[in-house]
Amino acid sequence: MTAVPERAAASRRRGAGLSAQARDRRRLTLWLLPPALWFFVFMIIPYLIMLHYSLGRMDDLRFIPDISLGNFVKIFTVEPYASVILQSAQNGLMTAVFSTLLAYPVALVMALHMKSERARFFMHILIILPWWASYLVKVYAWRTILGSSGLVNSGLLSLGAISEPLEFLLYSRFSVVLTLTYIFTPFAILSIYAQLERIPTSLIEAARNLGASDWEIFRRVILPMSLPGVLAGGVITFSLGFGDFVAPVLVGGPEDLMINNIVINLLGVSLDRPLGSAIGVVIVALAAVLLTVANWAERRTQVRV
């Protein structure tokens, strides 16, 4: 007689559990629906439109839908598109390397050698503070500093180190990479710092108790465990340096154009939307390859650690 009520109670409990799970799934769906909708509307659809235009052609300033790879062939066979993409990648790579070299010591001191929370907060403010200024103001500031009568040349002339202003400081690849490095280094600092902060201090103390020197601790513990942050910062600074178009215009020379400058000219001046869209597709594909390689490298470093 008692078995029937027990089975009924168990059935009710299972029903309640299933209904709770259903409510959790619905709640999760409601939370995820807005960002998923935003991503689809503002990311997927624009990419599909760009791909649609990249496969078409222009006829007397009129877009003709088509399915052709002619624009992609033109990118890699007609100058200056391929060479400018390569130059943009080189500028992005140099920006990533120099930003990482400048950022790592700062992040290391903040994460492992600053014990005061107030000091860390002050350093965060100093790192983020330049972003309160306008991007154009920062670029123009470097244009003033590196100019013929700027701070660098004036100082060297007053010291007698040079007899005439250095021309390579401005309107050159040097000035472009220097400006991009200055602007984007904070991203590398914050990425590396976030990873260094996750390293347990007990692990460092254990290595020191086992007789490891500071250099061995850095080489065998800190550096391997910080590589994911280094890779993340490198990907961010490379992408930002690769896609920048303001600095090359303001501090670069006529041969220092980036690929986005050409895209702007194609879409806004010559109105060649198919070719500009094809370049955009190539850039997105390169970004996907870069993220895939970085993800693979991060997994490899985590396995080794």
Side-chain angles (χ1 to χ4, degrees):
M1 297 294 292
T2 60
V4 174
E6 289 178 355
R7 287 197 296 269
S11 177
R12 285 195 298 271
R13 287 194 297 269
R14 288 195 297 269
L18 290 176
S19 61
Q21 292 178 359
R23 287 196 300 270
D24 291 340
R25 285 196 295 268
R26 285 197 297 268
R27 189 179 298 111
L28 180 62
T29 301
L30 290 176
W31 277 104
L32 293 178
L33 184 60
L37 184 63
W38 185 95
F39 182 80
F40 180 78
V41 172
F42 294 103
M43 294 290 290
I44 301 300
I45 292 180
Y47 285 156
L48 292 177
I49 294 175
M50 183 169 63
L51 179 62
H52 169 68
Y53 274 101
S54 68
L55 298 175
R57 56 188 175 86
M58 296 297 294
D59 184 12
D60 292 334
L61 301 180
R62 186 167 60 93
F63 174 71
I64 306 297
D66 198 356
I67 302 178
S68 172
L69 298 178
N71 293 311
F72 296 96
V73 174
K74 186 176 182 179
I75 292 173
F76 295 102
T77 57
V78 177
E79 289 296 331
Y81 306 114
S83 60
V84 174
I85 291 177
L86 179 60
Q87 179 171 286
S88 300
Q90 291 173 347
N91 289 348
L93 180 60
M94 287 189 288
T95 301
V97 170
F98 294 139
S99 296
T100 302
L101 292 176
L102 292 173
Y104 199 97
V106 177
L108 186 65
V109 171
M110 289 176 58
L112 302 180
H113 298 284
M114 280 189 177
K115 305 303 181 182
S116 173
E117 291 295 331
R118 181 176 297 180
R120 291 187 181 185
F121 176 77
F122 181 69
M123 284 297 298
H124 274 95
I125 293 297
L126 291 180
I127 293 169
I128 300 173
L129 188 62
W131 281 97
W132 295 358
S134 169
Y135 182 94
L136 290 176
V137 170
K138 290 181 286 188
V139 176
Y140 271 111
W142 277 107
R143 186 173 178 175
T144 303
I145 293 171
L146 300 175
S148 299
S149 58
L151 180 64
V152 176
N153 277 315
S154 299
L156 293 175
L157 286 171
S158 62
L159 293 174
I162 56 176
S163 58
E164 58 183 16
L166 299 176
E167 299 294 337
F168 76 90
L169 292 180
L170 189 59
Y171 304 125
S172 63
R173 173 174 286 191
F174 169 82
S175 58
V176 172
V177 174
L178 177 62
T179 303
L180 294 178
T181 300
Y182 162 75
I183 293 174
F184 298 134
T185 294
F187 289 101
I189 294 176
L190 296 178
S191 297
I192 298 172
Y193 169 77
Q195 186 64 30
L196 287 171
E197 197 178 28
R198 296 171 57 186
I199 299 177
T201 55
S202 58
L203 192 63
I204 299 175
E205 293 299 328
R208 184 171 287 113
N209 292 336
L210 291 173
S213 63
D214 291 340
W215 168 246
E216 289 176 330
I217 293 174
F218 172 77
R219 182 173 60 87
R220 304 183 64 176
V221 178
I222 297 176
L223 182 59
M225 297 188 71
S226 64
L227 284 180
V230 173
L231 290 173
V235 170
I236 294 172
T237 52
F238 173 85
S239 302
L240 293 173
F242 178 86
D244 191 85
F245 61 92
V246 176
V249 172
L250 296 180
V251 300
E255 298 180 356
D256 297 304
L257 287 178
M258 304 278 272
I259 190 61
N260 281 357
N261 299 105
I262 292 183
V263 173
I264 291 174
N265 290 331
L266 288 172
L267 297 179
V269 179
S270 60
L271 301 180
D272 193 344
R273 289 177 290 175
L275 184 56
S277 299
I279 294 176
V281 172
V282 171
I283 293 175
V284 172
L286 291 175
V289 171
L290 177 63
L291 291 175
T292 302
V293 172
N295 188 32
W296 172 82
E298 183 176 348
R299 290 200 306 269
R300 293 273 295 181
T301 56
Q302 290 176 347
V303 170
R304 291 181 179 180
V305 171

